[in-house]
């Protein structure tokens, strides 16, 4: 049901609701919603078969702006609520949207378990490394030293890496993209959608009011080529303005290292070839951080396994086929019964 | 004091004394199989046609150190030829498998009651663990009761010696030896238990053989051995029960079955999600085994996820149900507010236990009433129902499904540890005799918005996937006329009023409050809710038998309250509200109706006894 193409031609506008968007001017979310609408139009899912579930935060206003079914829930609980939606009707195309505070702090537990179960949800984490809607406090992904109203002398706790966390939770699909990459984002979302099971996508998103430019070290135009590694399955890991750099695996230190092609006899044959199904490689790529390494973008890991919703329904189907005539009156009369014939004097 | 086999006389079956009712309690280590013995005896008694109520009472620890008082597990059954309303005030007979069980239970026994005591466990080590300074048989502490000391351990080992089991497994059959003896005492057939053992241990034939041998030996011991003075056979006639097919049912089974039947009557798929918690997990276990009925169960990562998934399922068009006990319900309260404001049907089961906080997880209490009715941020009304007995939970579950789906609202069903674990005979209903209440999902786009209300003020329920009805709901306030986000002050007043009026209006869809016993006006009404039904009913009937004017009113629908309740209560001079809390319903009645209700309160982890309530009633009337 969820992949049927609607008779009418779908365009990004088909997914635009009548509600006026209330994000700050210049917010990265504008670019993201545009890409999401484009991805859905390209996928061709009937908007009536799509459900967006969100928690609380700037990102979580997302469902109101989509002409699909939508549920704006409570802080952190979107993965749990989406799990119920999907289990109740696995035919629906269910998307979860939340920010870093929502999905990695107050709702970290639900994110972990939705991923662990591998339920067929498309989970989009808009990571801006800050609490926006509550006016700028540091978040669980904020870098050490982040100055904010709650950390005037700079934060002292270490951030969580969203994608390494997801892999630790047992993710079968992780990917990363950047709000402003208008072609890359829809491509990644289409891959996430195609993956049956929990798909976890980190979308780097700039908060123009409380954390503007925090990702400039790898998203700014002048550094992008040198600090972004765009992954393609089966292709060597190359980056740089002229693709002159690459990643090589050093078996002694068991680490990746940045090398330059043509220097010290390095050739393309020395580089690591991207293999989406390699979890060890995926973990190393997910953990790479600028400036020492480029940020890995695209599908980092994809290794499909049976989805939770599928397994749950298969058990129910098996129980039903074993007892096709399951009858409620028989259920109530299971075990020992006895009859009282008549009222006794 | 009678010693094993001394001062005895032969008991002839003809000499059996007839009883109206009797209360027996089994008590021993939590590893002694006490609960199993109790449930087997329950079935035996039920099959013999007696009415009954049981009270399993076990420690929170899975395997507390052997021989200690805190590791004692007990099972009480009250059965008889008359209608049984409670699990019994004080036992007539206590079967104690070790000194710790004797120590913790003998004080509850009736004056002159009988203690069947396994002295095979009587040694200095066990005395010390139980906190006895020496042998309690020799210190004069047991003179209020008749003691029948018998080496059950020795007799059991003797009985099982040809079964091929080792000594350890052989000794584990001693509960069946004791059950055999009690079966003999009350003239109950061992055959159903034998059948059960054969089926339960079909893969361990030696264990089955040993258990059956022990059971038969205990029974034979009663028949043939010389019994001490006062230990004799009794007989009880069949109870006068309404004709029909019966089974025993616990509150847990009853709730699970009621929910499945309710879902069927509503025409919905059942989605049940919960997180393990004592004593509510049993409902999850029961439903997880019923997948053949299309039930989806989900063990969530925490209490919040459990209610979250149930809300998600409700949004998707299923019957969403979650279940917990007090601490878990507290965690669910924010999500309950979401279900209230998005006006989705949801069933929340609260099997109450002694609180606050972790409290006493295996002990019963009724202290979540305020939590259920008031415990949320904002003005967040919902429906609250309560079950009064194991069998009643079936009908309450169906009523919860009916009201939740018709009014598009969460419903909290209050049960408690006692109802959940207790068993009683149940006249099995015909599912076909229940009036269906099919849900009409909205499919017509014309004039649709998600909060357009019907005459009951309920909003439409739309399954995602329905063409042309895509819409968004959420926790933010909604515009009354469109369902879109609104922070308009007048609109918020209107929506708050509408949510309240909808729940208030449920009073028109539930029966008027009836009087269980007695007149509709008078000097005293005893008002109860939940599992206090049994002791209140019996206490009121005892006092009425003496010609005194007292009435019994029992609430199933707690919120909203039945539409005539205020007028009804105002017809009484005095109102007494027994509750297993420090006074929650009594406060609600006072604030709703300005009536002079007074509480009778007990929080000891155990149900009221009939005599406690009876005494309170008499003191009001004297």
């Amino acid at each position: 049901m969820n992949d049927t193409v609607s008779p009418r031609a779908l365009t990004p506008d088909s997914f635009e609701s009548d509600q006026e968007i209330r994000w700050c001017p210049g917010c990265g979310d504008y670019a993201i919603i545009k890409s999401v609408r484009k991805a859905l139009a390209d996928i061709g899912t009937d908007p009536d078969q799509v459900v967006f579930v969100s928690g609380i935060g700037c990102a979580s206003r997302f469902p109101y702006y989509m002409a699909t079914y939508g549920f704006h829930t409570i802080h952190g609980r979107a993965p749990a609520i989406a799990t119920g939606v999907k289990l109740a009707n696995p035919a629906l195309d269910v998307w979860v949207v939340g920010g870093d505070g929502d999905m990695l702090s107050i709702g970290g537990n639900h994110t972990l378990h939705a991923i662990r179960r591998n339920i067929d949800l498309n989970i989009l984490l808009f990571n801006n490394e800050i609490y926006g809607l509550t006016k700028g406090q540091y978040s669980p992904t904020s870098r050490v030293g982040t100055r904010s109203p709650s950390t005037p002398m700079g934060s002292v706790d270490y951030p969580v890496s969203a994608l390494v966390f997801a892999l630790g939770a047992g993710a079968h699909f992780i990917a990363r993209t950047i709000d402003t990459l208008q072609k890359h984002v829809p491509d990644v979302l289409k891959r996430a959608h195609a993956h049956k099971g929990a798909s976890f996508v980190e979308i780097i998103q700039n908060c123009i009011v409380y954390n503007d430019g925090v990702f400039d070290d790898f998203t700014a135009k002048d550094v992008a080529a040198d600090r972004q590694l765009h992954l393609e399955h089966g292709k060597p890991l190359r980056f740089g303005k002229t693709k002159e750099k690459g990643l090589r695996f050093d078996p002694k230190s068991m680490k990746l290292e940045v090398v330059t092609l043509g220097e010290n006899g390095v050739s393309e044959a020395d580089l690591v070839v991207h293999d989406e199904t390699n979890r060890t490689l995926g973990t190393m790529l997910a953990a790479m951080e600028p400036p020492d390494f480029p940020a890995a973008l695209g599908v980092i890991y994809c290794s499909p396994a049976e989805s939770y919703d599928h397994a749950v329904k298969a058990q129910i189907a098996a129980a039903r086929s074993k007892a096709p005539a399951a009858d409620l009156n028989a259920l109530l009369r299971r075990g020992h019964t006895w009859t009282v014939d008549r009222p006794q004097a | 004091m009678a010693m094993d086999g001394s001062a005895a006389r032969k008991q002839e079956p003809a000499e059996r004394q007839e009883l109206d009712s009797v209360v027996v309690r089994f008590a021993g280590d939590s590893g002694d199989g006490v609960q199993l013995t109790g449930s087997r005896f329950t079935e035996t008694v039920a099959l013999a046609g007696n009415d009954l109520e049981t009270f399993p009472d076990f420690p929170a620890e899975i395997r507390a150190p052997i021989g200690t008082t805190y590791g004692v597990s007990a099972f009480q059954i009250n059965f008889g030829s008359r209608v049984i309303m409670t699990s019994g005030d004080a036992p007539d007979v206590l079967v104690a498998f070790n000194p710790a069980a004797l120590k913790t239970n003998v004080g509850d026994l009736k004056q002159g009651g009988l203690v069947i005591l396994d002295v095979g466990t009587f040694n200095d080590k066990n005395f010390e663990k139980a906190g006895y300074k020496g042998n309690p048989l020799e210190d004069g502490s047991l003179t209020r009761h008749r003691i029948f000391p018998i080496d059950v351990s020795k007799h059991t080992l003797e009985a099982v010696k040809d079964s091929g089991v080792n000594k350890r497994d052989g000794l584990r059959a001693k509960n069946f030896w004791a059950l055999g003896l009690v079966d003999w005492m009350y003239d109950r057939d061992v055959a159903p238990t034998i059948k059960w053992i054969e089926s339960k241990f079909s893969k361990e034939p030696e264990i089955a053989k040993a258990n059956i041998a022990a059971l038969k030996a205990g029974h034979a011991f009663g028949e043939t051995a010389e019994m001490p003075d006062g230990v004799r056979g009794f007989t009880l006639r069949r109870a006068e029960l309404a004709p029909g097919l019966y089974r025993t049912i616990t509150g847990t089974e009853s709730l699970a079955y009621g929910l499945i039947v309710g879902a069927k009557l509503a025409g919905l798929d059942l989605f049940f999600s919960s997180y393990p918690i004592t004593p509510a997990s049993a409902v999850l276990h029961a439903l997880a085994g019923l997948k053949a009925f299309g039930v989806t169960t989900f063990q969530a990562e925490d209490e919040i996820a459990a209610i979250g998934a149930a809300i998600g399922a409700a949004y998707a068009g299923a019957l969403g149900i979650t279940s917990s006990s007090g601490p878990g319900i507290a965690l669910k309260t924010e999500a309950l507010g979401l279900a209230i404001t998005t006006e989705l049907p949801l069933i929340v089961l609260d099997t109450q236990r002694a609180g606050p906080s972790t409290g006493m997880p295996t002990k019963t209490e009724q202290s979540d009433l305020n939590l259920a009715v008031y415990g949320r941020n904002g003005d967040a009304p919902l429906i609250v129902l309560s079950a009064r007995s194991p069998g009643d939970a079936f009908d309450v579950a169906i009523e919860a499904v009916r009201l939740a789906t018709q009014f598009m609202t969460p419903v909290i069903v209050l049960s408690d540890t006692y109802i959940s674990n207790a068993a009683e005979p149940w006249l099995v209903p015909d599912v076909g005799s229940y009036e269906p209440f099919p849900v009409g999902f909205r499919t017509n786009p014309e004039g649709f918005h998600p909060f357009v209300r019907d005459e009951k003020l309920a909003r439409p329920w739309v399954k995602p996937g329905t063409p042309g009805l895509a819409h968004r709901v959420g926790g933010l306030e909604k515009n009354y006329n469109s369902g879109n986000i609104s922070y308009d002050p007048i609109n918020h007043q209107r929506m708050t009023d509408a949510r309240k009026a909808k729940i208030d209006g449920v009073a028109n869809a539930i029966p008027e409050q009836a009087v269980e016993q007695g007149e509709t006006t008078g000097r005293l009404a005893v008002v109860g809710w939940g599992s206090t039904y049994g002791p209140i009913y019996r206490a009121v009937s005892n006092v009425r038998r003496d010609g005194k004017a007292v009435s019994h009113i029992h609430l199933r629908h707690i919120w909203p309250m039945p539409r005539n309740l205020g007028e009804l209560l105002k017809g009484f001079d005095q109102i007494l509200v027994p509750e297993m809390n420090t006074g929650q319903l009594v406060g609600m009645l006072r604030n709703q109706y300005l009536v002079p209700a007074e509480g009778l309160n007990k929080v000891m982890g155990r149900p009221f006894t009939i005599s406690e309530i009876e005494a309170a009633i008499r003191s009001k009337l004297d």
Side-chain angles (χ1 to χ4, degrees):
Chain A
M1 253 171 108
N2 56 335
D3 285 336
T4 46
V5 180
S6 175
R8 62 192 154 125
L10 290 172
T11 66
D13 292 350
S14 314
F15 293 88
E16 192 176 330
S17 79
D18 61 355
Q19 295 300 293
E20 190 190 340
I21 294 186
R22 296 191 196 181
W23 288 315
C24 308
C27 175
D29 288 350
Y30 284 96
I32 297 175
I33 200 163
K34 211 172 143 194
S35 291
V36 171
R37 288 171 182 161
K38 178 170 188 324
L40 287 169
D42 290 352
I43 291 164
T45 307
D46 182 344
D48 288 329
Q49 297 293 335
V50 178
V51 182
F52 274 85
V53 183
S54 65
I56 294 291
C58 296
S60 291
R61 296 294 182 95
F62 203 92
Y64 290 117
Y65 311 136
M66 296 294 293
T68 64
Y69 284 88
F71 200 166
H72 177 222
T73 71
I74 42 178
H75 211 6
R77 316 305 169 201
I81 288 165
T83 294
V85 173
K86 186 72 184 176
L87 285 177
N89 185 359
L92 294 170
D93 188 7
V94 184
W95 298 71
V96 179
V97 174
D100 38 303
D102 196 50
M103 283 221 236
L104 292 173
S105 196
I106 192 167
N109 194 34
H110 308 307
T111 306
L112 187 161
H113 289 279
I115 293 171
R116 170 182 72 78
R117 290 189 186 100
N118 196 34
I119 183 160
D120 189 14
L121 302 174
N122 306 302
I123 305 170
L124 312 184
L125 171 72
F126 298 6
N127 185 4
N128 58 13
E129 298 190 0
I130 207 78
Y131 282 85
L133 203 56
T134 50
K135 299 195 173 17
Q137 300 84 356
Y138 83 116
S139 91
T141 54
S142 294
R143 293 162 211 196
V144 174
T146 299
R147 288 179 189 273
S148 79
S150 59
T151 52
M153 294 170 70
S155 60
V156 294
D157 42 347
Y158 300 102
V160 62
S161 159
L163 293 181
V164 174
F165 167 82
L167 277 177
H172 289 271
F173 182 101
I174 63 165
R176 182 189 284 135
T177 186
I178 300 170
D179 53 7
T180 49
L181 301 180
Q182 294 288 330
K183 189 177 157 358
H184 193 254
V185 178
D187 287 347
V188 165
L189 296 180
K190 283 186 263 182
R191 284 291 312 276
H193 179 266
H195 176 258
K196 296 300 161 209
S199 314
F200 186 80
V201 181
E202 179 187 25
I203 305 177
I204 301 298
Q205 180 243 327
N206 188 49
C207 173
I208 196 165
V209 173
Y210 294 110
N211 217 12
D212 192 25
V214 74
F215 300 112
D216 279 355
D217 58 347
F218 69 99
T219 60
K221 269 197 181 128
D222 53 333
V223 298
D226 287 329
R227 300 272 174 82
Q228 294 179 13
L229 170 64
H230 287 261
L231 301 166
E232 279 184 80
H233 182 63
K235 298 275 175 67
L237 302 179
R238 291 181 65 163
F239 63 103
K241 285 185 186 73
T242 58
K243 299 281 177 196
E244 75 283 7
K245 286 187 273 193
L247 292 177
R248 183 171 71 179
F249 182 70
D250 175 14
K252 267 192 192 153
S253 66
M254 298 184 64
K255 285 177 180 169
L256 293 174
E257 56 183 0
V258 176
V259 292
T260 306
L261 281 100
E263 276 183 16
N264 305 319
V266 173
S267 73
E268 192 173 87
D270 296 317
L271 302 183
V272 176
V273 172
H274 185 43
D275 176 3
E276 288 175 0
T277 66
N278 184 331
R279 193 166 185 276
T280 308
L281 176 61
T283 308
M284 287 191 286
L285 293 174
M288 291 193 309
E289 283 179 19
D292 296 341
F293 285 92
L297 300 175
V299 177
I300 293 172
Y301 180 62
C302 175
S303 172
E306 186 181 22
S307 73
Y308 178 75
D309 42 301
H310 188 270
V312 166
K313 294 302 166 187
Q315 280 195 347
I316 293 170
R320 285 191 128 155
S321 68
K322 227 172 130 187
D327 172 65
L328 287 172
N329 271 325
L331 171 68
L332 302 187
R333 286 156 181 79
R334 227 183 240 180
H336 278 284
T337 57
W338 68 97
T339 303
V340 172
D341 290 332
R342 60 191 158 72
Q344 288 166 10
Chain B
M1 188 138 330
M3 290 309 290
D4 193 357
S6 69
R9 64 197 171 81
K10 185 92 165 91
Q11 179 76 43
E12 296 298 333
E15 293 180 50
R16 283 189 179 275
Q17 181 189 339
E18 187 165 328
L19 299 175
D20 283 344
S21 69
V22 67
V23 179
V24 177
R25 184 185 295 179
F26 300 93
D29 242 357
S30 42
D32 278 341
V34 168
Q35 300 304 323
L36 192 148
T37 311
S39 58
R40 287 307 96 210
F41 189 59
T42 300
E43 185 182 294
T44 304
V45 164
L47 290 175
N50 296 125
D51 197 10
L52 64 92
E53 286 279 340
T54 70
F55 179 42
D57 187 18
F58 39 82
E61 293 77 15
I62 301 301
R63 286 279 184 277
I66 293 170
T68 57
T69 51
Y70 50 90
V72 171
S73 177
F75 186 101
Q76 182 164 312
I77 176 168
N78 182 9
F79 62 104
S81 58
R82 65 171 188 172
V83 173
I84 300 296
M85 302 298 299
T86 73
S87 57
D89 281 13
D92 299 286
V93 176
L94 169 67
V95 180
F97 286 106
N98 68 6
L102 175 70
K103 171 127 189 187
T104 49
N105 287 280
V106 73
D108 295 337
L109 207 60
K110 263 184 201 154
Q111 174 90 27
L114 174 68
V115 184
I116 298 172
L117 194 56
D118 177 13
V119 291
T121 59
F122 269 42
N123 54 49
D124 289 344
K125 202 172 133 203
N126 282 340
F127 294 149
E128 196 190 325
K129 281 194 203 161
Y132 281 121
K133 290 213 169 64
N135 187 342
L137 288 173
E138 292 162 4
D139 65 8
S141 64
L142 300 171
T143 49
R144 284 180 67 234
H145 311 295
R146 289 172 297 136
I147 309 295
F148 181 16
I150 181 164
D151 193 336
V152 177
S153 307
K154 189 183 89 185
H155 283 293
T156 303
L157 285 177
E158 181 76 13
V160 304
K161 67 175 189 291
D162 296 330
S163 315
V165 295
N166 59 31
K167 188 178 168 189
R168 192 172 150 270
D169 284 343
L171 263 183
R172 292 183 66 170
K174 75 176 189 175
N175 57 330
F176 282 105
W177 195 95
L179 178 58
L181 178 61
V182 175
D183 279 341
W184 168 81
M185 280 181 69
Y186 295 103
D187 203 14
R188 300 293 148 210
D189 190 0
V190 294
T193 305
I194 291 173
K195 203 174 144 199
W196 181 87
I197 293 171
E198 283 169 344
S199 133
K200 175 83 181 171
F201 298 100
S202 61
K203 287 183 183 137
E204 297 161 291
E206 288 173 357
I207 305 276
K209 204 173 156 192
N211 284 335
I212 292 169
L215 178 74
K216 285 180 169 170
H219 193 269
F221 183 87
E223 232 161 49
T224 57
E226 304 280 308
M227 288 291 153
D229 203 22
V231 181
R232 55 177 304 174
F234 301 94
T235 187
L236 293 94
R237 277 200 254 176
R238 297 177 74 90
E240 291 175 22
L241 300 170
L245 186 78
Y246 282 79
R247 58 168 288 169
T248 58
I249 197 156
T250 64
T252 297
E253 294 165 329
S254 179
L255 275 176
Y257 295 162
L259 291 170
I260 289 187
V261 171
K264 170 98 176 164
L265 296 170
L268 297 174
D269 289 332
L270 190 160
F271 179 90
F272 182 94
S273 66
S274 77
Y275 181 74
I277 182 169
T278 301
S281 309
V283 186
L284 171 63
H285 305 167
L287 286 167
L290 298 173
K291 292 187 172 65
F293 293 88
V295 170
T296 302
T297 55
F298 175 59
Q299 181 179 317
E301 59 268 25
D302 58 32
E303 296 284 359
I304 297 169
I307 186 170
I311 291 171
Y315 177 72
L319 177 64
I321 305 169
T322 188
S323 163
S324 191
S325 189
I329 301 295
L331 281 165
K332 293 179 197 293
T333 53
E334 186 201 13
L336 256 179
L338 178 69
I340 288 167
T341 196
T342 52
E343 304 191 39
L344 285 166
L346 179 76
I347 312 279
V348 180
L349 310 178
D350 179 359
T351 305
Q352 301 165 95
R353 67 188 213 191
S357 188
T358 311
M360 300 196 288
T362 59
K363 308 299 177 192
T364 199
E365 207 161 274
Q366 294 182 299
S367 44
D368 294 349
L369 184 67
N370 282 340
L371 174 66
V373 175
Y374 304 123
R376 286 162 295 283
N377 65 301
D379 284 306
L382 47 62
I383 298 173
V384 180
L385 306 178
S386 71
R388 72 186 192 193
S389 69
D392 186 54
F394 180 82
D395 289 318
V396 170
I398 293 173
E399 175 75 339
V401 179
R402 181 180 77 90
L403 294 174
T405 53
Q406 308 248 305
F407 285 86
M408 294 292 284
T409 175
V411 177
I412 294 181
V413 175
L414 293 171
S415 173
D416 63 31
T417 310
Y418 175 74
I419 290 174
S420 164
N421 295 332
E424 64 181 9
W426 185 51
L427 180 59
V428 187
D430 175 8
V431 174
S433 68
Y434 286 84
E435 187 71 32
F437 40 83
V439 168
F441 285 100
R442 173 93 180 211
T443 54
N444 181 6
E446 204 170 314
F448 169 79
H449 74 76
F451 286 85
V452 62
R453 296 176 188 278
D454 68 11
E455 70 287 350
K456 300 189 301 295
L457 300 179
R459 78 172 188 92
W461 197 3
V462 181
K463 278 186 183 172
T466 307
L469 292 186
H471 66 277
R472 277 65 59 193
V473 296
L476 292 171
E477 185 60 285
K478 291 147 281 283
N479 183 299
Y480 189 94
N481 295 313
S482 68
N484 292 327
I485 300 173
S486 169
Y487 299 153
D488 179 73
I490 290 168
N491 179 73
H492 178 54
Q493 178 81 52
R494 192 172 182 199
M495 284 297 275
T496 302
D497 292 346
R499 286 186 287 263
K500 181 179 187 302
K502 179 176 86 168
I503 298 304
D504 288 347
V506 172
N508 297 318
I510 61 174
E512 289 205 339
Q513 182 62 50
V515 177
E516 291 289 321
Q517 291 181 83
E519 299 67 32
T520 53
T521 56
R523 283 185 65 195
L524 174 65
V526 186
V527 182
W529 65 280
S531 70
T532 50
Y533 177 79
I536 294 175
Y537 189 95
R538 182 63 77 195
V540 167
S541 77
N542 287 352
V543 176
R544 288 181 58 79
R545 218 161 41 206
D546 299 343
K548 305 210 169 169
V550 52
S551 300
H552 176 199
I553 294 169
H554 192 84
L555 302 186
R556 167 184 279 183
H557 298 89
I558 291 184
W559 202 269
M561 291 180 166
R563 53 194 178 275
N564 64 326
L565 183 62
E567 283 312 304
L568 183 61
L569 294 180
K570 284 171 185 161
F572 291 91
D573 301 338
Q574 300 181 87
I575 296 161
L576 179 67
V577 186
E579 289 179 275
M580 293 187 286
N581 57 44
T582 56
Q584 299 192 13
L585 180 66
V586 71
M588 274 176 216
L589 295 178
R590 291 173 71 102
N591 95 21
Q592 288 297 303
Y593 303 120
L594 299 173
V595 289
E598 290 178 63
L600 173 65
N601 304 95
K602 173 179 177 179
V603 279
M604 298 173 76
R606 330 199 77 211
F608 276 104
T609 62
I610 297 164
S611 56
E612 285 165 343
I613 296 174
E614 197 175 322
I617 295 172
R618 289 187 192 280
S619 79
K620 292 268 170 221
L621 293 175
D622 285 346

